[in-house]
């Protein structure tokens, strides 16, 4: 094994254009006389493991409490994070080491939460479609059958029972 092969095994560059999480973190109590009342300092980032990212953040960052407000699972972390950063670029806080922090007023905070909700909708893959299609089709057919049966007046009793009762009644009389 030569040095290039060892380097390839040891160093594998991260590909952020793959499935993972987008998170919204908040630095609690960062702004104002009544902290968090008007401006909220938030970070929009990506991670394969948001909880581990938060732990790492606490060990290496400023002495303020930071909490995760939202996480969403997406198919392409880098694309979604880039879209959100671009959409809220007017709120970006210019820091030396990070471009991922934003100051949101109440309306902007509602907007960023709405954008997270909009992107968090569950979209099933094509591989899941056949089983779901079969199950929902069967439920639909059963429901339609039940509705059609009640509308057409079908009953669960066989027709022979009323005839037998009429015959027994005639024999007694």
């Amino acid at each position: 094994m030569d040095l290039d092969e060892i380097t390839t095994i040891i160093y594998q560059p991260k590909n952020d254009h793959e499935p993972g999480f987008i998170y919204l973190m908040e630095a609690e109590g960062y702004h104002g006389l009544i902290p968090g009342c008007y401006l909220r300092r938030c970070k929009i980032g990506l991670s394969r493991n948001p909880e581990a990212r938060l732990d790492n953040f606490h060990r290496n960052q400023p002495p303020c409490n930071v909490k995760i407000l939202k996480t969403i699972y997406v198919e392409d972390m880098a694309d979604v994070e880039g879209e959100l950063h671009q959409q809220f670029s007017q709120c970006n806080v210019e820091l030396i080491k990070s471009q991922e922090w934003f100051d949101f007023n109440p309306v902007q905070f509602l907007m960023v939460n709405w954008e997270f909700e909009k992107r968090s909708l569950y979209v099933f893959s094509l591989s899941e479609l056949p089983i779901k299609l079969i199950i929902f089709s069967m439920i639909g057919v059963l429901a339609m059958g039940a509705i059609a049966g009640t509308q057409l007046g079908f009953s669960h009793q066989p027709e022979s029972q009323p005839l037998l009762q009429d015959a027994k009644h005639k024999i007694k009389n």
Side-chain angles (χ1 to χ4, degrees):
M1 191 178 283
D2 66 359
L3 185 59
D4 287 338
E5 290 174 331
I6 293 171
T7 304
T8 303
I9 293 169
I10 294 172
Y11 175 74
Q12 294 181 348
K14 287 185 193 177
N15 179 11
D16 290 337
H17 291 282
E18 59 185 28
F21 295 92
I22 302 296
Y23 59 81
L24 179 66
M25 286 186 189
E26 180 180 15
E28 294 179 300
Y30 191 77
H31 284 293
L33 295 173
I34 304 173
C37 217
Y38 181 69
L39 286 179
R40 296 177 84 162
R41 173 80 39 106
C42 296
K43 182 179 190 304
I44 299 172
L46 60 84
S47 177
R48 286 163 192 78
N49 184 342
E51 290 299 325
R53 176 67 182 110
L54 181 63
D55 289 342
N56 183 35
F57 194 80
H58 280 143
R59 285 192 303 269
N60 298 313
Q61 293 294 321
C64 64
N65 290 330
V66 178
K67 66 180 178 181
I68 295 176
L69 300 175
K70 288 193 176 299
T71 59
I72 56 172
Y73 186 78
V74 296
E75 290 298 318
D76 187 328
M77 295 184 297
D79 280 351
V80 174
E81 182 195 39
E83 289 170 9
L84 290 168
H85 284 187
Q86 179 63 35
Q87 186 170 357
F88 295 101
S89 62
Q90 76 279 3
C91 305
N92 190 260
V93 177
E94 293 185 24
L95 301 172
I96 295 171
K97 293 184 176 183
S98 176
Q99 299 296 312
E100 297 184 334
W101 285 95
F102 302 85
D103 281 341
F104 296 123
N105 67 36
V107 172
Q108 293 162 335
F109 186 73
L110 287 173
M111 289 172 58
V112 76
N113 276 286
W114 184 73
E115 287 297 326
F116 266 72
E117 288 300 319
K118 188 168 73 171
R119 286 172 171 81
S120 72
L121 297 176
Y122 178 74
V123 179
F124 57 87
S125 68
L126 291 178
S127 64
E128 296 172 336
L129 181 62
I131 189 72
K132 287 183 179 180
L133 184 61
I134 291 167
I135 291 170
F136 287 124
S137 296
M138 289 174 63
I139 291 170
V141 167
L142 289 172
M144 293 298 286
I147 292 169
T150 58
Q151 295 296 322
L152 296 174
F154 290 124
S155 71
H156 296 296
Q157 295 181 343
E159 298 242 358
S160 62
Q161 283 183 348
L163 293 175
L164 284 174
Q165 288 176 353
D166 285 343
K168 287 180 184 177
H169 182 65
K170 287 182 183 179
I171 293 174
K172 286 184 182 178
N173 291 336

